[in-house]
Amino acid sequence: MQPDLSRLCNAIGYQFNDRGLLEQALTHRSANRKNNNERLEFLGDAQLGQVIARQLYAQYPEASEGQLTRMRAALVRGQTLAAVAREMGLGDYLVLGGGELKSGGFRRESILADALEAVIGAILLDGGAQVCDQAILRWYDERLQSV
């Protein structure tokens, strides 16, 4: 049984027009081989990298290319993505296959990170680039200040 997604939308800070995109973003390959979050994850990964890179470029005008690269890498790595996902409670909403459920996949860092990227991709498709960028920057605000 799928939990109430309105609580997750509140935690994300975005209300989906097409709730099916959010449902797909939360669906791991182990639960559905054809309609899962992998393609959305691909899209979200690209959008996240671009938004973080652009923000770091603007926020740190004196930083070298190498410094910017290291800061971006720290912000978009799996560990950071999983931490953001945990803050939203994303793991409680994941749709996983039986094996992943039994092994605690909803807590696994890689699954949480991938799901967050998929949510980013879903927001991008549902609300457009500007809305998606705003959501990412809101989630990363404190991390961007302290990177």
Side-chain angles (χ1 to χ4, degrees), residues 31-108:
N32 189 327
R33 291 219 182 270
K34 290 191 179 201
N35 191 25
N36 58 56
N37 64 6
E38 290 178 339
R39 287 175 50 87
L40 288 172
E41 174 194 340
F42 166 79
L43 197 57
D45 175 61
Q47 187 70 10
L48 175 66
Q50 178 194 65
V51 169
I52 296 298
R54 192 173 55 236
Q55 184 63 28
L56 289 171
Y57 182 86
Q59 192 170 318
Y60 298 100
E62 301 301 319
S64 70
E65 181 268 342
Q67 290 169 319
L68 291 169
T69 297
R70 286 187 293 280
M71 286 188 280
R72 183 188 62 209
L75 291 168
V76 302
R77 69 183 178 190
Q79 184 180 12
T80 305
L81 286 163
V84 173
R86 281 189 196 96
E87 290 165 10
M88 297 174 180
L90 198 60
D92 296 339
Y93 299 89
L94 295 177
V95 179
L96 303 169
E100 288 295 345
L101 275 174
K102 287 178 187 172
S103 68
F106 59 92
R107 289 187 303 263
R108 188 170 298 125

